[in-house]
Amino acid sequence: MGQSLTQKILASHLVSGNLEKGNEIALRIDQTLTQDATGTMAYLQFEAMNLSRVQTECSVSYIDHNTLQTGFENADDHAFLQSTAARFGAYFSRPGNGICHQVHLERFAKPGKTLLGSDSHTTTAGGMGMLAIGAGGLDVAVAMGGGAFYLPSPKVLRIWLTGQLSDWVSAKDIILEVLSTLTVKGGVGKIIEYAGPGVKTLTVPERATITNMGAELGASTSIFPSDEQTLRFLTAQGRAEDYVPLFADDDARYDEELEIDLSLLVPLVAQPHSPDNVVPVSEHSATAVHQVAIGSCTNSSYQDLMRVSQILKGKHVHPDVSLVISPGSRQVLSMLSSNGALTDLLDSGARLLESTCGPCIGMGQSPISKAVSVRTFNRNFMGRSGTQDASVFLASPEVAAACALTGFLTDPRTLEISPVVEFPERFRIDDSMILPPGDPNTPVRRGPNIQPLPLAPRLDDTLDLPVILKLGDNITTDDIMPAGSKILPLRSNIPAISEFAFHKIEPQFAAKAKILKQSVIVAGHNYGQGSSREHAALAPMYLGVRVVLAQSFARIHRANLVNFGILPLTFVDEMDLNRLQPGVVLHLNDLHQSLQSSEPFAVTIDNDPTPVLVKHDLTERQAKILMAGGLLNSTSASL
Ligand code: MIC
Ligand code: SF4
């Protein structure tokens, strides 16, 4: 039987385990990326493991999330990361050089290789035919040191693309269509592979928009074949030698399949407050828009912004709309500047931001109260924009530009001209903002914002834990550990950032947790969806949360809980969630023995004769890590 693209790359990188579904496999990692909001932790962990030099083919440390520098904190982090990159042997992409995923696609991604990144949208490089996976910083630090990355052997879902996109319909509409079919839980435990005759109609940056938002499906990653389009992109980036052709075998078998006829798609939007809440934009034509934000790792490529500039050229942004644009990289910005498109954007009234994540993670540009904000980004969780009562719609650059002109949610097919952007034969290549690995004796610069890593205690055999918080389905890491311009600068200071854990849901959470000393959180399905931020595990751990009992977990967050010594448990009968309320005390006895067996075990509750049956689904390796109080404490942390 033939192999899928996924199986080919997994098989060529398999260190241990077998590819039977659900088994834990260990993979060799060729490349890593970190960004500043998660990278400080990853490099502190690299140091804590006494590792001295990265062992991968290439590791890159990017600064792209925290560049507002409203105090010394961001700058402290930048200096720390520049010095650790030099010392430990990583490339360093300087602040302003661009968003990690865009720059990585342009300058580093290679078909057939594996990439592990401390950001959930590392999947973007799947558009280049890479197996690119998001993970917590500690897993990335281990991979930088040459250690394997562990994940459950995934199911493979093939999405078969036929036909061709119509005018004004774009790659964003393809992934929004997939999200509306599969939902934000639909990709959990799966790798999504794109195939079919429609694939060759999509350029690498368009494919990257699709693989980027595979993260919103909860998928481990998404991947496209490496073909003529891949060669074209690499050639234009001056990297034709990195090309290798890569396809699934014709007789490969898949666990699930889905088919999409590209010619039937229309311009779509994801309505507030979830990326899978998708409808045609035409259903909202009476909705007034207050802000349009174009950029992010999803939609800020050269072609995206060229299409926007053609739509806006010679026209003016509606007076009630604030249009902000953040080009994905310095390469994109300098090309727009040298061909005059930047002038068209500025003349239309657009406000130009740095080539960083910016408004996507609430770093400035929070919209007006009760705003409707149309964003080309990938997440529209409530409050993520920095304005709690704003309604954020996710859309393509074409829809966003049309809205900026009319002041209403607009189907761009109602505009007269359709933009035509030629794929550049040569991108503008200037790697002077990427510093190569430096001297191993470079001293680490540690300003006052860089605080030591807290470690979890060893897991007790008996735990009596009051329920501190009861939550519903699809709780995001933004709910657990919000970002934004006030909180993000504290990412390298766990005692300080912990004060903000859950503070939008329960402002007293940190204070209560400190009084209780130890506690358990109970939740519904897909707990911890969204970002890879370890802080969503580290801060609760620091505040004494020992167990999260949920109906199900998102992949990256569950791995982060294990790495930081919080026990993730699920219900055998998910209706038992209804029996648990805040304040109820759960008693977990003989835990060490229970973790060594794969059988469900009973948790008793005060004043209730019927115990709650729970299971842990941990591998032997994970159980050992948990009992030791997390990966850094565990003797198995040795690579
Ligand atoms: C995000 O989009 O939420 C982030 C900010 O890029 C995160 C990483 C982080 O929290 O630092 C992600 O997606 O992993
Ligand atoms: Fe940055 Fe937004 Fe992409 Fe996260 S989703 S990496 S915050 S641009």
Side-chain angles (χ1 to χ4, degrees):
M1 192 178 68
Q3 284 184 310
S4 65
L5 195 50
T6 306
Q7 284 163 339
K8 287 186 185 184
I9 304 183
L10 289 180
S12 62
H13 289 80
L14 200 61
V15 176
S16 67
N18 69 50
L19 295 178
E20 226 164 89
K21 253 118 308 352
N23 273 357
E24 189 172 64
I25 52 173
L27 292 181
R28 179 168 48 77
I29 296 300
D30 301 318
Q31 299 189 348
T32 65
L33 72 76
T34 53
Q35 42 87 343
D36 50 315
T38 55
T40 45
M41 280 299 136
Y43 279 91
L44 284 169
Q45 288 149 355
F46 191 84
E47 268 189 314
M49 288 186 283
N50 287 322
L51 299 168
S52 53
R53 205 73 181 160
V54 301
Q55 300 295 321
T56 51
E57 291 175 13
C58 140
S59 288
V60 192
S61 174
Y62 291 92
I63 307 285
D64 55 359
H65 280 61
N66 274 316
T67 58
L68 283 184
Q69 296 170 229
T70 47
F72 64 93
E73 292 88 350
N74 297 160
D76 271 11
D77 288 355
H78 301 175
F80 170 78
L81 288 169
Q82 181 163 350
S83 64
T84 49
R87 181 181 180 92
F88 299 129
Y91 289 86
F92 180 70
S93 176
R94 301 187 62 192
N97 192 44
I99 304 174
C100 55
H101 309 303
Q102 175 69 24
V103 178
H104 208 82
L105 194 72
E106 291 168 358
R107 306 308 304 144
F108 293 100
K110 291 183 187 177
K113 299 282 185 183
T114 51
L115 167 68
L116 194 70
S118 62
D119 190 283
S120 63
H121 293 105
T122 302
T123 56
T124 311
M128 177 73 91
M130 264 194 125
L131 199 84
I133 303 178
L138 183 47
D139 284 335
V140 177
V142 168
M144 290 193 299
F149 174 64
Y150 293 85
L151 85 162
S153 181
K155 289 186 179 166
V156 184
L157 159 64
R158 181 175 73 171
I159 302 191
W160 186 256
L161 302 179
T162 61
Q164 193 161 357
L165 292 173
S166 319
D167 283 352
W168 295 108
V169 183
S170 83
K172 183 65 155 277
D173 300 309
I174 303 177
I175 188 62
L176 290 179
E177 172 72 17
V178 177
L179 272 155
S180 103
T181 311
L182 297 179
T183 80
V184 291
K185 301 195 287 256
V188 176
K190 297 172 199 166
I191 290 184
I192 298 177
E193 209 171 297
Y194 289 86
V199 161
K200 64 174 184 301
T201 67
L202 300 171
T203 63
V204 167
E206 288 175 313
R207 295 173 183 186
T209 294
I210 296 168
T211 51
N212 174 278
M213 279 192 85
E216 277 51 67
L217 294 162
S220 299
T221 190
S222 309
I223 186 166
F224 273 82
S226 171
D227 59 7
E228 289 296 309
Q229 289 280 12
T230 321
L231 177 60
R232 186 180 179 203
F233 181 81
L234 282 168
T235 307
Q237 289 287 352
R239 301 201 285 128
E241 70 282 2
D242 289 340
Y243 175 68
V244 286
L246 208 59
F247 300 91
D249 293 330
D250 289 341
D251 56 346
R253 293 248 186 89
Y254 296 88
D255 300 293
E256 289 171 35
E257 306 215 27
L258 187 74
E259 185 168 333
I260 296 180
D261 181 347
L262 301 181
S263 53
L264 298 180
L265 296 182
V266 298
L268 300 170
V269 281
Q271 309 170 103
H273 298 284
S274 183
D276 58 2
N277 190 11
V278 174
V279 292
V281 61
S282 54
E283 285 186 16
H284 276 285
S285 53
T287 305
V289 172
H290 308 98
Q291 182 191 52
V292 172
I294 299 178
S296 91
C297 56
T298 317
N299 273 123
S300 57
S301 67
Y302 170 75
Q303 280 137 297
D304 282 340
L305 295 195
M306 281 304 294
R307 284 198 299 276
V308 170
S309 77
Q310 288 187 9
I311 296 168
L312 298 182
K313 188 179 168 120
K315 305 197 174 64
H316 214 270
V317 170
H318 189 278
D320 294 339
V321 175
S322 167
L323 168 64
V324 290
I325 298 182
S326 24
S329 67
R330 188 166 284 252
Q331 180 183 79
V332 172
L333 178 57
S334 70
M335 286 175 70
L336 297 176
S337 141
S338 61
N339 72 9
L342 186 59
T343 310
D344 296 331
L345 291 172
L346 296 176
D347 287 352
S348 75
R351 300 166 64 182
L352 184 68
L353 304 178
E354 242 191 320
S355 293
T356 58
C357 301
C360 177
I361 190 59
M363 296 302 279
Q365 304 301 325
S366 297
I368 187 173
S369 298
K370 299 198 169 63
V372 169
S373 175
V374 178
R375 300 175 160 218
T376 65
F377 307 166
N378 47 36
R379 290 184 174 145
N380 57 349
F381 305 146
M382 189 188 281
R384 184 173 156 103
S385 67
T387 302
Q388 196 61 19
D389 57 10
S391 296
V392 175
F393 289 76
L394 305 175
S396 67
E398 290 85 338
V399 168
C403 298
L405 289 178
T406 62
F408 286 87
L409 271 166
T410 301
D411 186 329
R413 292 174 299 181
T414 56
L415 305 182
E416 317 93 63
I417 50 122
S418 175
V420 184
V421 179
E422 289 297 318
F423 193 86
E425 277 190 17
R426 188 86 177 166
F427 289 97
R428 194 157 185 272
I429 297 160
D430 169 9
D431 288 335
S432 58
M433 293 288 278
I434 300 174
L435 308 182
D439 182 347
N441 295 316
T442 307
V444 174
R445 294 175 67 186
R446 224 179 291 269
N449 196 41
I450 314 288
Q451 291 296 313
L453 270 172
L455 295 177
R458 287 182 62 81
L459 189 72
D460 290 335
D461 195 37
T462 303
L463 287 171
D464 300 309
L465 303 175
V467 174
I468 184 167
L469 207 56
K470 178 175 178 176
L471 301 160
D473 287 347
N474 296 323
I475 288 297
T476 72
T477 50
D478 283 270
D479 295 325
I480 304 170
M481 194 65 258
S485 57
K486 287 199 195 86
I487 306 177
L488 215 50
L490 303 173
R491 282 288 182 93
S492 40
N493 186 342
I494 299 301
I497 204 168
S498 298
E499 295 297 319
F500 296 95
F502 289 106
H503 90 133
K504 286 189 182 150
I505 294 179
E506 164 55 288
Q508 294 308 313
F509 180 84
K512 272 193 186 162
K514 283 183 197 160
I515 294 168
L516 293 175
K517 294 204 166 51
Q518 298 208 102
S519 57
V520 51
I521 290 170
V522 297
H525 279 291
N526 202 21
Y527 179 77
Q529 70 157 331
S531 134
S532 68
R533 65 190 69 149
E534 288 169 310
H535 306 75
L538 266 164
M541 178 277 279
Y542 182 77
L543 293 170
V545 174
R546 296 283 165 256
V547 174
V548 178
L549 174 54
Q551 288 171 328
S552 65
F553 289 90
R555 174 188 64 89
I556 306 180
H557 185 61
R558 181 175 180 278
N560 286 338
L561 290 175
V562 172
N563 280 350
F564 293 102
I566 297 182
L567 175 60
L569 294 175
T570 53
F571 295 94
V572 171
D573 175 358
E574 60 181 49
M575 297 310 285
D576 278 347
L577 175 61
N578 300 334
R579 296 168 51 204
L580 303 179
Q581 303 304 332
V584 163
V585 180
L586 305 190
H587 303 283
L588 295 93
N589 297 317
D590 300 323
L591 254 184
H592 293 182
Q593 203 188 326
S594 304
L595 294 195
Q596 276 155 38
S597 140
S598 53
E599 295 300 309
F601 59 98
V603 171
T604 54
I605 323 174
D606 278 349
N607 305 325
D608 189 336
T610 320
V612 171
L613 266 190
V614 301
K615 51 193 169 60
H616 61 74
D617 294 323
L618 299 168
T619 63
E620 229 175 86
R621 183 188 67 88
Q622 291 173 320
K624 241 170 135 186
I625 292 175
L626 264 165
M627 285 200 285
L631 185 56
L632 284 174
N633 281 333
S634 149
T635 44
S636 66
S638 59
L639 306 173

